[in-house]
Amino acid sequence: MAELVKGSLQLGFEYDAKLGHTVLKTCQQQPPLRVVRSFETAAGGALVHLHNLSGGVLGGDKLALDVQVGPGAYAQLTSTGATRLYRSRPHEGVAVQTNRVVVAENGLLEYLPDPLIPFAGSRYRQGTKIELAADAGLFWWETVTPGREAKGELFEYASLQLSLDIVGVGKPLVSERVRLEPAVRGLDSSIRLGGYRYFATFYVCKVGWQSGQWRTLENQLGELGQQLSKAGEIVWGVSTLTAHGLVIRAVSQTGRAISAGLIEFWKTAKYGLYGQAAVIPRKVY
């Protein structure tokens, strides 16, 4: 029986007034999760690449990510490649990833990972909790593929569970629950993917923005979604949250169309919220 892997990564970002930019102040790691170093961005943020030394998530793995973004700090997180969710053998438990994120006053976190690829027979559960303080900002996206499409694996994973909770200054903004079991409930149903293969969710938040401002941005992003949508290929939708943010969703036949679209939405939203350009994080391998 394979040994149970428990990996953890704790990251703390602080704005250094003397240096004039954000630094990675705390980095505690337990393999297979790892960060090599942080890079200063042109906008004075700290860019960090998240590594998994196992090459993916194995059956029974228990992984935890804890991110603290201090007051006025700006952190950008990305992955070094797609997250591969490997097959779980019968004797192995569900692979679990927990994410806890806190963004302090005037802080900003951009979480821009590559897609999840659930292999045939994989069982995976991910839970994310995000707390935003006053004037805190968040760009958080996630894309899920149907599997190893090049290998002919389409929706052959056993189970995929995703939960996300976002709280802004103590007020619940998002409570999302996804449970997919393709062999039990077909994903081609109109209430699920409706014949599409890929799906993505992108949350854009900034605590303190008023409802009128969000409606204006929603309309702007909605027009972009109409431009990027192509019947039978990809569909985008935009909706405001109860407060402090909005959500962008997509279903698509290809991953490339989603990736390109997410970047366009990010660019428009980043400029609308901050008057700044969105700079795609450089990759390291």
Side-chain angles (χ1 to χ4, degrees):
M1 181 179 294
E3 183 179 354
L4 177 67
V5 173
K6 293 185 177 181
S8 63
L9 184 59
Q10 297 181 20
L11 304 175
F13 298 90
E14 294 183 10
Y15 177 74
D16 190 313
K18 292 183 179 179
L19 296 176
H21 61 81
T22 297
V23 297
L24 177 61
K25 194 72 173 181
T26 303
C27 183
Q28 298 181 7
Q29 47 197 346
Q30 179 177 335
L33 300 184
R34 186 186 180 195
V35 161
V36 177
R37 56 161 294 187
S38 66
F39 298 87
E40 182 184 354
T41 71
L47 165 62
V48 163
H49 300 82
L50 305 177
H51 298 255
N52 186 325
L53 300 180
S54 297
V57 181
L58 305 174
D61 280 2
K62 308 297 180 187
L63 307 176
L65 173 65
D66 188 299
V67 179
Q68 305 280 331
V69 180
Y74 166 32
Q76 190 178 76
L77 304 183
T78 189
S79 55
T80 54
T83 298
R84 295 167 176 81
L85 310 177
Y86 293 125
R87 177 188 299 272
S88 296
R89 296 182 176 87
H91 63 271
E92 296 172 330
V94 175
V96 177
Q97 167 95 37
T98 58
N99 304 315
R100 179 177 179 271
V101 176
V102 176
V103 184
E105 283 189 38
N106 295 300
L108 171 62
L109 173 64
E110 294 175 329
Y111 179 72
L112 316 167
D114 294 287
L116 291 173
I117 304 178
F119 283 32
S122 63
R123 290 179 292 161
Y124 179 72
R125 183 171 71 246
Q126 176 179 289
T128 301
K129 294 185 177 181
I130 303 173
E131 298 177 24
L132 303 176
D135 298 314
L138 175 74
F139 295 92
W140 183 283
W141 74 43
E142 194 144 54
T143 303
V144 178
T145 76
R148 292 187 296 176
E149 203 166 7
K151 293 279 188 179
E153 291 182 6
L154 296 177
F155 306 117
E156 294 184 15
Y157 50 88
S159 65
L160 178 68
Q161 300 176 61
L162 305 172
S163 69
L164 174 67
D165 293 280
I166 302 177
V167 175
V169 287
K171 178 179 181 177
L173 306 179
V174 174
S175 183
E176 180 174 300
R177 302 292 184 269
V178 175
R179 183 186 180 98
L180 301 178
E181 297 173 304
V184 178
R185 302 174 188 85
L187 301 186
D188 57 352
S189 165
S190 60
I191 63 173
R192 297 184 183 92
L193 295 184
Y196 290 95
R197 295 181 173 184
Y198 295 74
F199 65 95
T201 304
F202 185 13
Y203 284 99
V204 176
C205 300
K206 191 173 192 299
V207 177
W209 252 40
Q210 300 304 308
S211 59
Q213 294 174 294
W214 284 113
R215 284 195 296 271
T216 298
L217 184 58
E218 177 189 20
N219 291 336
Q220 186 179 4
L221 295 177
E223 291 178 3
L224 176 60
Q226 291 179 1
Q227 296 171 15
L228 296 177
S229 295
K230 296 181 180 179
E233 297 181 21
I234 186 169
V235 178
W236 292 93
V238 182
S239 179
T240 54
L241 304 177
T242 57
H244 307 309
L246 53 79
V247 59
I248 302 159
R249 299 189 189 277
V251 289
S252 176
Q253 294 292 356
T254 67
R256 182 173 299 178
I258 282 185
S259 297
L262 286 173
I263 291 173
E264 291 305 311
F265 278 103
W266 175 38
K267 288 179 178 179
T268 302
K270 180 73 176 283
Y271 190 81
L273 286 170
Y274 291 93
Q276 299 175 3
V279 180
I280 299 173
R282 58 175 173 166
K283 292 291 187 176
V284 297
Y285 302 95

